[in-house]
Amino acid sequence: MSLPKINVKEVDEMLEKAKNMKPEDLLFKYKGILYPSLHSQPENIDAIESFEAREDDLLLVAYPKCGYNWMIQVLNKLAFSAGKLKNPKYIPYLEFTNPEKLKLLSTLPSTRILGTHMNTNNIPVSFFEKKSKILVVLRNPKDTAVSYFHFYNKNPALPAFDSWDKFFSQYMSGEVMWGSYFDHAVLWEKYIDSENVKIVTYEDLKANLTEEIKEIAKYFNYTLSDEQIQTIAEESTFDAMKEKSQETYGSFGKVIFRKGGVGDWKNHFSDEQSKEVDARFEQCLAGTKIGAKLKYEVHCK
């Protein structure tokens, strides 16, 4: 199958435009949440509130730097191998889709694979009303912070941070794009036992990609052979995807793919910062099913 690709020309034009913009103009705040202004506008977010989901839609949800681009590739391969998708395409975030493009989405044949970074409060309610299949990818908060920091500083379309400490402070206060990591994670506790929501973690995907892909296929009711699952897993490792990033993302691939590991937070966090995240986790997620899913004691201690 061909790989889903972003519109490289469109991205290059966006990056060129960013060179002439002030850092403070690269983001805008809407209903208390920061969004990238070169990708989205308030009218986009207004428009998706009334977006009509379908029962057979697949919605991928991930807070930034928790595995969105990774899983877009996996879902395309699964749907294609199962005969549900004829022409794999890179699916942009709903919040990047202007009203005109949203109308185009409504004309696409099923199966539609859609995605977002937004939390449950901002996802169009029709996905829950229609009981569309939702796949949520979570990642431990410490590695998420580190990956997000580097993403900000490698992406010309975003204002860079002059220090890790400054970024960490804003990450903890939710003054980064798409708001607070902890708000995002906490809100999924309500849906963790829903038949139409499957929650996986970045760390489990790294540890046993083949088994996780098999479970995702089962969740979507896709019948694939063990050989097909194994092939998808081999083609979807971080190294394999990074190697093809020039083909799928153009020069932007260098921004998206960095290390893709687990535990890099230890190279950035001070003891005080680590304890601050520990305390926030204890306050927000300790004792919850989401907290248990994240295996915090394993990955963040």
Side-chain angles (χ1 to χ4, degrees), residues 61-77:
V61 185
Y63 185 80
K65 306 313 296 175
C66 289
Y68 179 91
N69 287 285
W70 187 10
M71 284 299 101
I72 277 292
Q73 299 281 346
V74 169
L75 292 185
N76 267 280
K77 291 176 187 293

Side-chain angles (χ1 to χ4, degrees), residues 34-48:
L34 285 169
Y35 296 95
S37 60
L38 284 170
H39 290 284
S40 188
Q41 289 297 319
E43 56 265 29
N44 296 22
I45 305 178
D46 272 338
I48 64 172

Side-chain angles (χ1 to χ4, degrees), residues 87-287:
N87 299 302
K89 295 181 179 180
Y90 182 81
I91 303 299
Y93 314 93
L94 286 172
E95 53 270 41
F96 290 179
T97 310
N98 62 37
E100 184 178 329
K101 289 182 178 179
L102 276 178
K103 290 181 182 178
L104 180 61
L105 276 183
S106 69
T107 69
L108 293 179
S110 299
T111 298
R112 299 185 304 184
I113 300 177
L114 308 168
T116 184
H117 280 327
M118 297 190 296
N119 65 40
T120 63
N121 288 341
N122 297 317
I123 292 171
V125 295
S126 59
F127 284 101
F128 300 101
E129 293 172 345
K130 296 290 181 65
K131 297 185 177 180
S132 309
K133 293 281 189 177
I134 300 175
L135 178 67
V136 182
V137 188
L138 300 176
R139 189 182 190 182
N140 81 71
K142 293 182 180 180
D143 278 331
T144 299
V146 169
S147 186
Y148 210 1
F149 166 68
H150 287 289
F151 181 75
Y152 257 93
N153 279 9
K154 290 169 66 178
N155 189 344
L158 298 178
F161 284 86
D162 54 19
S163 73
W164 156 251
D165 289 345
K166 184 174 181 180
F167 173 84
F168 177 80
S169 176
Q170 291 192 207
Y171 174 78
M172 293 301 292
S173 67
E175 284 297 309
V176 291
M177 293 184 299
W178 287 278
S180 164
Y181 165 94
F182 288 97
D183 287 351
H184 181 96
V186 166
L187 287 168
W188 283 110
E189 181 73 12
K190 176 182 176 181
Y191 299 96
I192 195 167
D193 293 321
S194 170
E195 292 182 358
N196 298 96
V197 175
K198 181 173 179 59
I199 298 175
V200 299
T201 69
Y202 187 98
E203 292 76 18
D204 286 346
L205 288 162
K206 289 288 294 185
N208 195 338
L209 185 57
T210 301
E211 188 60 33
E212 291 295 310
I213 289 177
K214 184 183 295 185
E215 289 301 311
I216 292 170
K218 182 179 178 181
Y219 166 64
F220 288 128
N221 298 317
Y222 290 166
T223 302
L224 277 73
S225 67
D226 289 343
E227 183 179 357
Q228 286 176 307
I229 294 290
Q230 185 61 40
T231 297
I232 292 171
E234 289 172 357
E235 292 176 349
S236 303
T237 64
F238 179 83
D239 289 341
M241 292 184 63
K242 186 174 183 178
E243 185 178 333
K244 289 185 176 293
S245 63
Q246 185 71 28
E247 177 185 346
T248 54
Y249 297 97
S251 61
F252 203 64
K254 296 177 182 178
V255 176
I256 295 173
F257 296 96
R258 194 177 68 92
K259 287 187 175 181
V262 177
D264 193 36
W265 66 268
K266 296 174 184 177
N267 298 318
H268 294 73
F269 275 64
S270 66
D271 287 343
E272 291 75 16
Q273 289 168 341
S274 183
K275 289 176 182 176
E276 185 176 344
V277 177
D278 292 346
R280 183 70 64 83
F281 180 88
E282 187 69 25
Q283 175 190 0
C284 297
L285 292 166

Side-chain angles (χ1 to χ4, degrees), residues 19-88:
K19 293 178 182 178
N20 300 314
M21 294 177 64
K22 298 177 181 178
E24 60 268 24
D25 294 332
L26 294 172
L27 300 176
F28 71 93
K29 183 172 283 191
Y30 184 79
K31 295 183 178 180
I33 302 292
L34 285 169
Y35 296 95
S37 60
L38 284 170
H39 290 284
S40 188
Q41 289 297 319
E43 56 265 29
N44 296 22
I45 305 178
D46 272 338
I48 64 172
E49 288 183 6
S50 57
F51 180 77
E52 284 297 322
R54 302 173 188 164
E55 289 183 8
D56 56 2
D57 281 342
L58 311 182
L59 179 66
L60 173 66
V61 185
Y63 185 80
K65 306 313 296 175
C66 289
Y68 179 91
N69 287 285
W70 187 10
M71 284 299 101
I72 277 292
Q73 299 281 346
V74 169
L75 292 185
N76 267 280
K77 291 176 187 293
L78 283 172
F80 179 82
S81 298
K84 303 293 184 181
L85 197 64
K86 292 183 179 179
N87 299 302

